[in-house]
Amino acid sequence: MKGPKKYRQQIKDLGIEGMEIDVSSIDVAMNTLNELDEMEKILKKIRHNIRTDTRKIRLDYIRRIQEVEDSSGLFGRKKSTEKKIKEKKALIKERNIEVSTYEVVEDTIDGYISQIESSKIYIMNSIQDRVGNT
């Protein structure tokens, strides 16, 4: 697992944030379209990796919660139900915080993919207008 910081850095390295859509010529528009396609493909791979990591985290916490259920207390005594519930709640809270950091990055990716799709439509319409007017 890479972690949310690494994924944010990968997204930043793509250069999406400051990218300008240039349709000054058909050639430039086509190059921009190709760049957007490549960025979208990379973003989808990152999103897939995030979902895989999130799944692993959830499975790990399921295992840890089950361990709490199966564990015994001091000197082999049975843990009180109250103590088990408290430990489980703490683990669930910890899991939710960890998963939420990944979800924030995934939401950012979804936003970028949506913007890319809109930009691709704009570029294709611009190309069609130029081709249709020649």
Side-chain angles (χ1 to χ4, degrees), residues 90-104:
L91 284 171
I92 289 169
K93 184 177 180 180
E94 189 179 308
R95 177 203 63 202
N96 290 344
I97 290 170
E98 191 171 347
V99 167
S100 70
T101 59
Y102 284 89
E103 288 172 343
V104 168

Side-chain angles (χ1 to χ4, degrees), residues 45-58:
K45 283 180 186 177
I46 294 171
R47 183 174 60 187
H48 173 77
N49 291 340
I50 287 172
R51 289 178 178 169
T52 301
D53 286 358
T54 303
R55 229 174 277 120
K56 287 178 184 175
I57 290 167
R58 289 181 192 280

Side-chain angles (χ1 to χ4, degrees), residues 95-132:
R95 177 203 63 202
N96 290 344
I97 290 170
E98 191 171 347
V99 167
S100 70
T101 59
Y102 284 89
E103 288 172 343
V104 168
V105 178
E106 186 175 352
D107 290 344
T108 301
I109 289 171
D110 290 341
Y112 282 140
I113 288 174
S114 177
Q115 290 175 18
I116 287 172
E117 288 170 353
S118 297
S119 297
K120 285 167 53 175
I121 291 169
Y122 167 74
I123 292 169
M124 288 188 285
N125 287 338
S126 175
I127 292 171
Q128 253 181 339
D129 287 347
R130 286 179 187 266
V131 171

Side-chain angles (χ1 to χ4, degrees), residues 64-71 78-94:
R64 290 171 64 186
I65 289 169
Q66 189 60 47
E67 285 175 2
V68 167
E69 184 64 37
D70 297 341
S71 67
K78 191 175 182 182
K79 275 188 186 176
S80 71
T81 306
E82 187 177 303
K83 185 168 178 127
K84 286 182 181 183
I85 290 172
K86 197 175 192 177
E87 288 178 26
K88 286 180 185 180
K89 281 184 179 181
L91 284 171
I92 289 169
K93 184 177 180 180
E94 189 179 308

